Amino acid sequence: MLVLVINSGSSSLKYQVRDVAAGTVLTEGLIEKIGVGNGGGGDGEMVGPRDHAEALEQVDAAIHQELGDLELGAVGHRVVHGGERFAEPVLVDNEITRAIERLNPLAPLHNPANVLGIRAITRKWPKMPQVAVFDTAFHRTLPEYAWRYAVPDELYTNHGIRRYGFHGTSNEYVARRSAALLDLPVEEFDAVIAHLGNGASVTAIRGGRSVDTSMGFTPLEGLVMGTRSGDLDPSILVFLGRAGWTPEDLDTMLNRESGLKGLAGHNDMRSVVEASEAGDERAAMALAVASHRLAKYIGGYHVAVGGAKALVFTAGIGENSKEFRAQVADRLGALGIELDGGLNAERSKEPRVISTPSSAIPVLVVPTDEERAIAEATAAVVSAGR
Ligand code: AMP
């Protein structure tokens, strides 16, 4: 089946056409600046498509130019928030679209864009099966003691304030591939998976299911990220509020000016590592703060899963930064974890083991591929008619 995978943001739309059986990408692209400018392209000004519907016309034209006539079997959408309702991918209809829309308050930057993408396809190709694949769904197996915040119950019942967790599609895919690499059935896979990209989270996997994860009500909680703070004492926000900071000021500071950027001045891990190696003390401290935070989570989740059988690194930093992996592993000596310097330094796109034979548990690097996971889930749902 050929599946068009759509990841729509508020002003961008990423797409891939995938042959699911062959596991290949036939074409891919990115439409940017949706709704920026007047859509008419006058005065030589750089402008994007007027809206998601117009962006979709561009996608359609690009696909046909690249691939000629082809028959798409389905469209798979990456949807950020599935709330408490969605525990797995679903076939989209009007009721499902409205249900995703009702979750807008929980993901105000993402879900509205996902809904626009779904509606644009519905208008253009009314008969096309569409599947929503939720970033939160894999974490619906969290036990209540892991998803509850210790605040008055009314915050949960009236406002839905609880841990949801994100990066679920990536975690589910990486858990399957990691178990296969270790020759274990995924149902027997207990592990800690560190998804370290621009957004970063760490997840405790027991029996192939998520039992705890560092991102919470939003993707802000947990690890030190490119521009996000991760964990901090909530009283800091009360303190700043009393000092006159508005909710918007706090939001910008926590989501856009913190993390590696706040500590070192760069949000990109490569720049931070380079600066640190050139003697920049702020960059070295940013790496220490980030690796210390992650090591604490790994230790905690090792306990939460009853003894992990593997530690897995994935996403941009996890797959590529031998320096950051080494810094984290250096802090995990108490767990008996030992990296093989040579294997850690090798560059490869393949899933691989990077620990020594005497390491207490294997350390893996397993490249994630969210688009592939979305395409496979979409084909499975459409074939099963769910
Ligand atoms: P992602 O969000 O998964 O695309 O990951 C983005 C992050 O991966 C950025 O912080 C990049 O600096 C980091 N990254 C990508 N390639 C490398 C590399 N070769 N070495 C170190 N970090 C990298």
Side-chain angles (χ1 to χ4, degrees), residues 21-375:
T24 49
V25 181
L26 304 185
T27 185
E28 62 187 322
L30 168 67
I31 310 279
E32 290 182 289
K33 300 196 170 145
I34 301 174
V36 178
N38 60 18
D43 302 333
E45 178 199 359
M46 279 289 290
V47 290
R50 219 181 328 254
D51 53 21
H52 284 71
E54 203 169 296
L56 189 64
E57 294 299 333
Q58 293 185 9
V59 172
D60 189 25
I63 292 173
H64 282 89
Q65 193 177 354
E66 284 271 323
L67 304 173
D69 268 347
L70 82 172
E71 182 128 356
L72 290 174
V75 176
H77 295 269
R78 172 172 194 255
V79 178
V80 167
H81 218 302
E84 291 203 306
R85 169 164 171 184
F86 296 107
E88 47 190 31
V90 287
L91 205 53
V92 172
D93 59 19
N94 284 338
E95 192 274 320
I96 297 281
T97 311
R98 282 195 299 273
I100 296 171
E101 199 168 30
R102 280 198 296 276
L103 295 166
N104 283 356
L106 293 178
L109 296 181
H110 295 103
N111 273 39
N114 299 148
V115 170
L116 288 172
I118 290 171
R119 294 223 162 102
I121 302 265
T122 308
R123 270 194 300 274
K124 186 167 170 56
W125 297 312
K127 296 218 158 24
M128 176 75 74
Q130 299 188 66
V131 174
V133 182
F134 301 93
D135 224 21
T136 49
F138 183 63
H139 301 299
R140 291 290 291 113
T141 49
L142 254 57
E144 184 168 346
Y145 56 76
W147 62 249
R148 278 264 175 198
Y149 290 114
V151 290
D153 189 50
E154 182 253 332
L155 270 69
Y156 166 59
T157 48
N158 291 351
H159 302 284
I161 292 178
R162 51 159 288 176
R163 178 181 310 284
Y164 291 100
F166 299 86
H167 291 146
T169 309
S170 169
N171 272 290
E172 202 259 342
Y173 176 82
V174 168
R176 263 193 289 128
R177 295 211 76 182
S178 304
L181 183 65
L182 297 177
D183 243 340
L184 285 170
V186 73
E187 300 76 28
E188 290 172 22
F189 188 58
D190 305 328
V192 180
I193 298 180
H195 176 117
L196 311 176
N198 238 328
S201 68
V202 54
T203 295
I205 305 281
R206 187 164 197 168
R209 291 157 168 251
S210 172
V211 293
D212 205 352
T213 190
S214 61
M215 283 180 170
F217 178 61
T218 72
L220 178 59
E221 192 179 350
L223 301 178
V224 176
M225 310 183 211
T227 61
R228 290 176 234 163
S229 64
D231 297 334
L232 44 72
D233 180 344
S235 294
I236 295 168
L237 309 182
V238 178
F239 175 88
L240 292 174
R242 287 189 182 129
W245 290 50
T246 66
E248 286 68 32
D249 294 338
L250 294 172
D251 189 40
T252 303
M253 181 272 288
L254 293 169
N255 281 295
R256 298 183 192 280
E257 294 168 355
S258 294
L260 297 176
K261 186 175 177 201
L263 290 168
H266 313 278
N267 67 312
D268 190 294
M269 181 56 89
R270 275 166 296 204
S271 313
V272 180
V273 168
E274 274 166 28
S276 168
E277 286 173 350
D280 180 333
E281 285 177 14
R282 284 173 69 210
M285 185 49 64
L287 292 175
V289 174
S291 58
H292 171 67
R293 175 94 50 93
L294 175 54
K296 283 200 295 188
Y297 268 100
I298 292 170
Y301 286 178
H302 184 55
V303 173
V305 304
K309 293 181 181 134
L311 167 63
V312 187
F313 286 100
T314 191
I317 297 166
E319 292 166 29
N320 297 301
S321 182
K322 59 181 191 293
E323 296 86 359
F324 191 68
R325 290 193 302 251
Q327 284 221 11
V328 175
D330 277 350
R331 296 179 188 275
L332 296 173
L335 300 184
I337 281 174
E338 212 177 77
L339 288 197
D340 177 312
L343 294 177
N344 184 41
E346 257 174 39
R347 296 194 62 83
S348 160
K349 292 264 169 246
E350 295 302 313
R352 58 200 185 274
V353 176
I354 59 166
S355 49
T356 63
S358 58
S359 179
I361 59 170
V363 180
L364 316 183
V365 174
V366 175
T368 190
D369 190 340
E370 287 174 287
E371 283 76 16
R372 178 179 179 151
I374 291 169

